[in-house]
């Protein structure tokens, strides 16, 4: 139950974080490396869009140019994401779900090649347990991308800079943290899109029923 609730919490929060994040990025659609930026610095690494807008109105929350509202929405759902992640982690540790179902085993690593070839043929077996690719991809999102998106977000906060000045320095400076934040967000978006595609290809009714009710049809022998 906790895993299913966390799943929907992540999905909803990521949707609002993406839209509001693009709203914030549109206010200054340039990425830098280092700690500072401005006319006296030559550290830009990427400039997107023209006339001050990188992403169209239909992709941002809100749709108009409204930085203040975008920041409010972004910060609110950032805490929703962090809270859902924390509750899931505590539950997964207490229940043993983390060690029992998400830990890649030696057998998983040995069968990784077979699992990749199976997915490449667009065959998605319905197993009782996660396959090697699922374990590795979920592990990368939960224990690499999520912590990094949170850490880079905190590193851009003036309040956190005062409380923990070592964090932006660890990440290469506030502007580097912003660039990393944007890149990790792009990776999470890619994972989200791929995840939706896989759900559709594997059988959306079965997959959605599992995430809503916990009931899941498996293939014989799996």
């Amino acid at each position: 139950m906790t895993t299913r609730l966390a799943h929907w919490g992540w999905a909803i929060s990521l949707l609002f974080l993406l839209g509001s994040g693009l709203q914030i990025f549109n206010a200054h659609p340039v990425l830098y490396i280092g700690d500072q930026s401005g006319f006296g610095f030559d550290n830009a690494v990427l400039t997107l869009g023209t006339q001050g807008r990188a992403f169209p109105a239909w992709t941002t929350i809100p749709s108009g140019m409204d930085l203040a509202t975008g920041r409010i929405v972004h910060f609110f759902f950032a805490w929703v994401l962090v809270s859902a992640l924390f509750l899931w982690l505590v539950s997964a540790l207490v229940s043993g779900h983390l060690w029992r179902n998400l830990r890649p085993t030696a057998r998983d690593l040995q069968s990784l090649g077979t699992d990749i070839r199976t997915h490449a043929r667009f065959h998605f077996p319905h197993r009782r347990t996660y396959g090697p690719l699922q374990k590795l991809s979920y592990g990368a999102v939960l224990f690499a991308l999520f912590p990094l998106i949170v850490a880079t977000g905190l590193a851009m906060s003036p309040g956190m800079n005062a409380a923990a000045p070592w964090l932006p320095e660890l990440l290469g400076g506030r502007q580097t943290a912003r660039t990393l934040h944007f890149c990790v967000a792009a990776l999470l978006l890619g994972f989200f899109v791929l995840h939706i595609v896989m759900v559709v290809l594997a059988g959306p009714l079965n997959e959605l029923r599992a995430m809503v009710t916990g009931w899941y049809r498996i293939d014989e022998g799996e």
Side-chain angles (χ1 to χ4, degrees):
M1 174 63 75
T2 303
T3 298
R4 296 199 300 275
L5 290 175
H7 176 275
W8 291 111
W10 296 332
I12 294 171
S13 59
L14 284 174
L15 177 64
F16 280 92
L17 283 169
L18 175 64
S20 58
L22 295 181
Q23 169 70 239
I24 295 170
F25 183 79
N26 271 347
H28 188 66
V30 185
L31 296 175
Y32 303 89
I33 293 294
D35 191 53
Q36 301 182 65
S37 64
F39 294 112
F41 299 89
D42 185 22
N43 56 343
V45 293
L46 180 65
T47 301
L48 295 177
T50 57
Q51 297 180 347
R53 191 180 186 102
F55 297 97
W58 64 268
T59 65
T60 67
I61 298 175
S63 59
M65 294 292 285
D66 187 348
L67 177 60
T69 301
R71 287 170 59 88
I72 292 172
V73 172
H74 201 73
F75 294 154
F76 175 80
F77 281 98
W79 284 113
V80 173
L81 177 69
V82 170
S83 299
L85 181 60
F86 177 76
L87 291 175
W88 173 84
L89 182 59
V90 171
S91 175
L93 288 171
V94 171
S95 67
H97 171 65
L98 186 63
W99 181 261
R100 184 176 59 253
N101 298 322
L102 290 176
R103 175 179 59 91
T105 64
R107 183 178 179 181
D108 289 324
L109 298 179
Q110 292 171 357
S111 61
L112 179 59
T114 301
D115 202 33
I116 292 175
R117 290 190 292 271
T118 299
H119 282 75
R121 293 194 297 268
F122 295 98
H123 176 58
F124 309 103
H126 300 120
R127 305 182 176 103
R128 293 181 183 274
T129 59
Y130 295 130
L133 274 177
Q134 287 177 303
K135 290 183 178 181
L136 292 175
S137 59
Y138 293 161
V141 169
L142 291 168
F143 301 110
L145 296 186
F146 273 179
L148 188 54
I149 200 81
V150 172
T152 53
L154 290 174
M156 290 185 286
S157 167
M160 180 57 65
N161 291 170
W166 53 267
L167 181 58
E169 294 301 319
L170 181 65
L171 295 169
R174 291 186 65 191
Q175 293 301 325
T176 301
R178 181 173 180 265
T179 298
L180 289 173
H181 196 75
F182 183 88
C183 293
V184 175
L187 290 174
L188 286 172
L189 175 61
F191 173 83
F192 181 78
V193 171
L194 182 60
H195 184 63
I196 296 300
V197 171
M198 296 286 286
V199 166
V200 172
L201 293 177
L205 293 180
N206 193 37
E207 300 289 331
L208 288 174
R209 180 177 60 214
M211 290 313 304
V212 173
T213 68
W215 293 92
Y216 187 70
R217 176 184 61 80
I218 64 171
D219 298 331
E220 291 187 10
E222 295 291 347

